[in-house]
Amino acid sequence: MADLLLPEHFVIFDTEYTTWDGAQKRAWKGPGEYREIVQIGAIKVQGITLEEEGAFTCLVRPVKNPQLSQYFTGLTGVTQEMVERQGTSYGDALGQFAAWSQGLSLYCWGMDLEIMNFNAKLLGICFPISQAQKRDVRSIFELEGVVTMAYMSSTIPRAFGEEPPPSAHDALNDARSILQGLRALRRRVS
């Protein structure tokens, strides 16, 4: 089995945060536009076998923009009712995620950890996760020649001719999509 230089145990995680039509093009610089975390999804992975060992998912009630946009709901499937019924505060979600991840390396597609840290600062919350834990999983794919700019966390299996899990832009499913991509990459380089 090819070595993708992964640790023995690690976490793949993804986040979903408030957005509006055109917000990405505006870099969330429109009036009142903050990338507030609404969902954290993660899986623990055994590095040698790439088997999922556990899952974490949490909905968060945004503070600066408590009313989700129709655009966000259409994109993620997360509704206002879901957040109001099942959501927790960002501080609680952050604490739960930090405890669940047990100090393991945290692999994400890009800037998720930085956005989580931004949210903590925005709300005046201590950020309990070390930046040293963060790994950008795109670098693993790029080392093997995959042009990651052509994909997202929810679509990386397509780089290997596979369909990703359904429900893109669901944080847990996107973490599982990244794992599917890592498995396909390992098969390709073996």
Side-chain angles (χ1 to χ4, degrees), residues 2-190:
D3 184 6
L4 298 179
L5 303 176
L6 292 165
E8 186 176 346
H9 297 276
F10 62 97
V11 170
I12 300 172
F13 78 100
D14 189 69
T15 62
E16 301 300 331
Y17 42 82
T18 53
T19 191
W20 301 263
D21 190 21
Q24 186 174 17
K25 287 181 185 175
R26 292 187 298 274
W28 283 264
K29 301 259 189 243
E33 291 182 350
Y34 298 96
R35 290 187 256 198
E36 282 188 89
I37 300 292
V38 177
Q39 185 184 43
I40 303 169
I43 53 176
K44 283 184 185 166
V45 180
Q46 205 287 337
I48 295 171
T49 63
L50 292 183
E51 291 299 315
E52 182 178 326
E53 297 182 314
F56 174 91
T57 186
C58 186
L59 290 175
V60 178
R61 291 185 304 273
V63 174
K64 300 287 186 183
N65 293 287
Q67 188 67 39
L68 300 176
S69 70
Q70 287 183 339
Y71 180 80
F72 174 85
T73 296
L75 185 68
T76 65
V78 175
T79 66
Q80 190 71 39
E81 181 184 351
M82 290 167 65
V83 167
E84 289 172 6
R85 265 188 315 122
Q86 302 165 26
T88 188
S89 71
Y90 184 61
D92 286 348
L94 206 50
Q96 291 170 26
F97 178 63
W100 179 85
S101 61
Q102 301 174 310
L104 294 171
S105 294
L106 302 173
Y107 286 79
C108 63
W109 192 271
M111 303 290 291
D112 291 80
L113 196 63
E114 289 81 356
I115 292 168
M116 290 173 76
N117 191 10
F118 165 79
N119 273 253
K121 288 177 182 174
L122 183 69
L123 299 174
I125 297 168
C126 179
F127 192 63
I129 300 169
S130 168
Q131 288 291 329
Q133 289 175 256
K134 186 224 177 177
R135 307 287 184 275
D136 188 340
V137 74
R138 295 177 301 181
S139 64
I140 295 170
F141 293 102
E142 290 165 358
L143 282 172
E144 298 299 332
V146 177
V147 180
T148 58
M149 289 180 59
Y151 303 97
M152 298 182 292
S153 59
S154 61
T155 62
I156 188 59
R158 291 187 180 139
F160 308 96
E162 297 181 12
E163 274 306 300
S167 301
H169 302 294
D170 170 272
L172 184 57
N173 283 346
D174 289 356
R176 288 180 171 143
S177 178
I178 292 169
L179 178 58
Q180 181 182 344
L182 287 172
R183 289 172 178 158
L185 178 63
R186 180 171 277 171
R187 285 191 302 271
R188 186 171 92 178
V189 299
S190 291

